Amino acid sequence: MTGDEERDVERIQARAERADTNLFGRMAAIYAASRKQAQDLLQVGGGISIVEWRTIWDLHEVGPMTISDLALTQRTDHSQLSRALPQMRQKGLVSMRQAAQDGRQTIVTLTDKGRDAYHLAAPIMGRRRAVLADVFTAAEIAELVGYLDRFETFVRLPAEDILSKEKIE
Amino acid sequence: MTGDEERDVERIQARAERADTNLFGRMAAIYAASRKQAQDLLQVGGGISIVEWRTIWDLHEVGPMTISDLALTQRTDHSQLSRALPQMRQKGLVSMRQAAQDGRQTIVTLTDKGRDAYHLAAPIMGRRRAVLADVFTAAEIAELVGYLDRFETFVRLPAEDILSKEKIE
DNA sequence: AGAAAATATATGACTTGTCACGTATTTATT
DNA sequence: AATAAATACGTGACAAGTCATATATTTTCT
């Protein structure tokens, strides 16, 4: 008796609940929330973007890398780095030079200023991982990662494979 | 002995492997792949966008809904719907009218043409869920969803909570 | 050596998502 | 009843992804 004849509140409620178990929708919402949390934390940690943080972190851990290396370790498209790096260079966080061995490659190196930015953001992002570790045991993380591996294999199936695949076994 | 003195290939490799267990990075890559798979499938299923598919699906399942209802069941921001719906109306997929009980609300209804679009896309998206069900048992999905629930709770913690939270227990 | 194929990067166009803010309408308070 | 607070929606601005295509450089093949 809501007096609302235009929409069926109960069915809407039921639909929202069913959507909770829809992996695809959940993944979207969770990723968006995760991204926002990272952005908020990085706002505190020096005001850098997520792409910038990932890049600084990678460079700090492994030393100079090419743009493709960065794209590979970040599992992202190189275009994202192509766009972010010139700005980072302008901010003085990284330097870039053409590789001597292979003129197609660009070697990206962390500057001292970039190192400072790393040391500003790192404790904050480390805090995040520490809190995560309070909430999940290492074994649970491993199990979750195992599920994610399998889910990733699935979502990377080409559309044709999904459509052609008849129930096999 | 790669002859490459400018970058440390082994460390890059090691870094990429360590990144595999970084939940945050994994989530981003997996969601992106999932989205692309959906886009590819929908390209076959009538050429609608993901937002359009979600909306048509919801409306088909529950009947007329307000924009806020749609945002709620889709766990997304209402602005996304505010932008998509006028286009959908123009394509003839939905109709919209001001709610009688509450003049602020917009009641969105699936048209016959929208129903056709649903019946075009639904088998394809259903195929996807069927293949998923081949790869994961219901119990596994439930467990994964359980993990995702916990992970979502975590990523929805405000940044201040992360930063202020001292190791408690 | 020369031609063809592969690779690295840049760039334009697009989708999905967020937030903040403005306006209209309802609901709650005094 | 009048005012204040809450809610629904539209819209501008931005971040983070994707793809396709163009160009420069290497590598491979004949």
Side-chain angles (χ1 to χ4, degrees), chain A residues 76-93:
Chain A
T76 189
D77 194 86
H78 66 88
S79 62
Q80 211 163 143
L81 289 152
S82 260
R83 271 181 259 267
L85 284 168
Q87 292 175 45
M88 294 180 71
R89 178 171 51 188
Q90 219 169 354
K91 292 191 204 171
L93 301 174

Side-chain angles (χ1 to χ4, degrees), chain A residues 62, chain B residues 1-2 7-17:
Chain A
V62 325
Chain B
M1 317 293 135
T2 59
R7 42 197 268 276
D8 187 331
V9 177
E10 260 182 48
R11 292 183 73 176
I12 291 168
Q13 182 63 33
R15 176 68 176 165
E17 277 166 25

Side-chain angles (χ1 to χ4, degrees), chain A residues 6-7 11 15 20 26 58 61 69 75 100-101 127 135 140 143 147 149-150 152 165, chain B residues 6-7 11 15 20 26 58 61 69 75 100-101 127 135 140 143 147 149-150 152 165:
Chain A
E6 297 186 287
R7 42 197 270 273
R11 291 183 75 175
R15 175 69 175 164
D20 285 352
R26 289 301 297 275
D58 279 344
E61 296 302 308
D69 290 335
R75 293 171 171 263
Q101 282 93 349
R127 189 88 270 271
V135 178
E140 287 173 334
E143 193 169 22
Y147 276 125
D149 283 339
R150 290 169 59 192
E152 180 161 18
K165 192 163 279 177
Chain B
E6 297 187 287
R7 42 197 268 276
R11 292 183 73 176
R15 176 68 176 165
D20 284 353
R26 289 300 297 274
D58 279 344
E61 294 302 307
D69 290 336
R75 293 171 170 264
Q101 282 92 350
R127 190 88 270 271
V135 179
E140 287 173 335
E143 193 168 22
Y147 275 125
D149 283 340
R150 289 170 61 192
E152 179 161 17
K165 192 164 279 180

Side-chain angles (χ1 to χ4, degrees), chain B residues 14-25:
Chain B
R15 176 68 176 165
E17 277 166 25
R18 264 202 49 205
D20 284 353
T21 61
N22 180 333
L23 277 187
F24 307 108

Side-chain angles (χ1 to χ4, degrees), chain A residues 96-133:
Chain A
M96 294 158 76
R97 66 169 193 282
Q98 193 177 33
Q101 282 93 349
D102 186 334
R104 293 168 302 182
Q105 296 180 326
T106 301
I107 304 284
V108 185
T109 308
L110 201 60
T111 62
D112 287 345
K113 200 167 171 186
R115 211 165 296 277
D116 291 347
Y118 171 79
H119 287 300
L120 191 57
I124 287 172
M125 299 311 270
R127 189 88 270 271
R128 187 194 198 197
R129 291 192 301 280
V131 175
L132 181 71

Side-chain angles (χ1 to χ4, degrees), chain A residues 129-165:
Chain A
R129 291 192 301 280
V131 175
L132 181 71
D134 279 353
V135 178
F136 286 91
T137 67
E140 287 173 334
I141 298 249
E143 193 169 22
L144 174 48
V145 167
Y147 276 125
L148 292 182
D149 283 339
R150 290 169 59 192
F151 189 67
E152 180 161 18
T153 301
F154 171 78
V155 293
R156 289 202 187 281
L157 285 177
E160 316 93 74
D161 287 15
I162 299 273
L163 296 176
S164 69
K165 192 163 279 177

